[in-house]
Amino acid sequence: MELIFVHGALVRDGQWWWQPTAELLQKRTGVQSRSVALPSCGETSLDELSGGLAADAAALRRELDSVDSAIVVGHSYGGTVIAEADHHDAVEHLLYVSSYLPDAGTSQGVIMSGESDPVSIDDNGDGTMSVSGYDASSFGARFLQDADDETQQRGWDRVTAQSAGAFMTPTSAAGWQGVDSTYIVCEHDHSTSVELQRFHADRATRSFEVPTGHHPFITRPDLIVEQLEALLE
């Protein structure tokens, strides 16, 4: 059994985001974690960047092809990648953190369009999109308000442009359907509204709520590992 982490939009280096939880999970259970390098975030090659959502889903499937069994964790946009990757025999369980379980035919852009206070994103004119109007301080206040200043800065350092295809391409599958799943609602999330989280949480097998911001696997890894331990048992 391994854990495969699919990070959110407009950032890179999923291993850094997941590391606090990865270390605690391995210490308590021996389970190792890996993170999917998302082509749409420029984490593989420039040739794959334009592949958008489809390339990201293919990257997840390649990771799953290399293991016998896995728990897949989707954070934010990562849930849309899971949906597009469709069903895979290696998936034992899906864990969603402030994420999405979209129907087939739904794009990330459509999911986000219903937010009353959406994250500001601009088209860069080169086939990519980036967060707009943020600096290290305002980014930290929105996405990592429950982390210390150093962690907020390190998160900001990992913000990146992402292929517009990640946002505009409708999903062709709903890989979450028929798979045992758990959804973690982040009650103090300043990025994804609690209302939108609860809408998607209702589609999971079960859900629970934690008093954290958008990245509890950084700020409260103990809460995430508790749920993973329960799944492993």
Side-chain angles (χ1 to χ4, degrees), residues 9-230:
L10 300 163
V11 297
R12 58 177 177 81
D13 193 5
Q15 199 61 39
W16 178 83
W17 297 94
W18 183 251
Q19 195 62 33
T21 293
E23 291 176 354
L24 184 60
L25 179 65
Q26 186 170 15
K27 179 180 178 180
R28 290 187 179 180
T29 68
V31 171
Q32 295 186 332
S33 301
R34 63 174 76 182
S35 177
V36 180
L38 296 183
S40 72
C41 292
E43 294 185 297
T44 54
S45 69
L46 291 178
D47 291 339
E48 288 191 303
L49 176 63
S50 62
L53 175 62
D56 292 344
L60 172 56
R61 291 192 66 84
R62 286 194 296 271
E63 293 290 344
L64 288 167
D65 287 343
S66 69
V67 299
D68 293 327
S69 63
I71 295 174
V72 181
V73 179
H75 178 238
S76 199
Y77 164 73
T80 305
V81 176
I82 290 171
E84 180 64 14
D86 208 351
H87 296 91
H88 193 289
D89 289 342
V91 175
E92 297 289 339
H93 190 86
L94 300 173
L95 177 64
Y96 294 91
V97 183
S98 188
S99 190
Y100 314 108
L101 290 77
D103 292 319
T106 306
S107 70
Q108 184 67 35
V110 167
I111 293 172
M112 297 166 62
S113 67
E115 291 279 46
S116 59
D117 182 23
V119 175
S120 179
I121 301 174
D122 278 352
D123 188 331
N124 296 321
D126 61 356
T128 68
M129 306 181 79
S130 299
V131 294
S132 174
Y134 293 93
D135 57 18
S137 177
S138 58
F139 177 85
R142 177 136 198 181
F143 295 93
L144 284 161
Q145 81 276 13
D146 46 350
D148 59 37
D149 291 345
E150 180 181 356
T151 301
Q152 291 181 7
Q153 178 63 56
R154 293 179 70 189
W156 173 248
D157 291 342
R158 287 163 171 80
V159 171
T160 191
Q162 186 169 5
S163 167
F167 299 92
M168 304 306 178
T169 305
T171 53
S172 62
W176 53 272
Q177 292 180 337
V179 182
D180 193 53
S181 58
T182 301
Y183 192 107
I184 298 176
V185 175
C186 302
E187 296 174 327
H188 301 158
D189 198 328
H190 294 171
S191 171
T192 305
S193 67
V194 173
E195 291 75 19
L196 184 58
Q197 291 181 67
R198 288 172 178 159
F199 173 83
H200 287 276
D202 284 344
R203 295 181 165 188
T205 309
R206 67 193 63 80
S207 66
F208 72 99
E209 305 197 1
V210 295
T212 72
H214 194 54
H215 296 89
F217 38 85
I218 289 178
T219 60
R220 290 296 307 273
D222 57 308
L223 298 179
I224 305 300
V225 171
E226 283 176 9
Q227 294 304 310
L228 290 168
E229 286 179 314

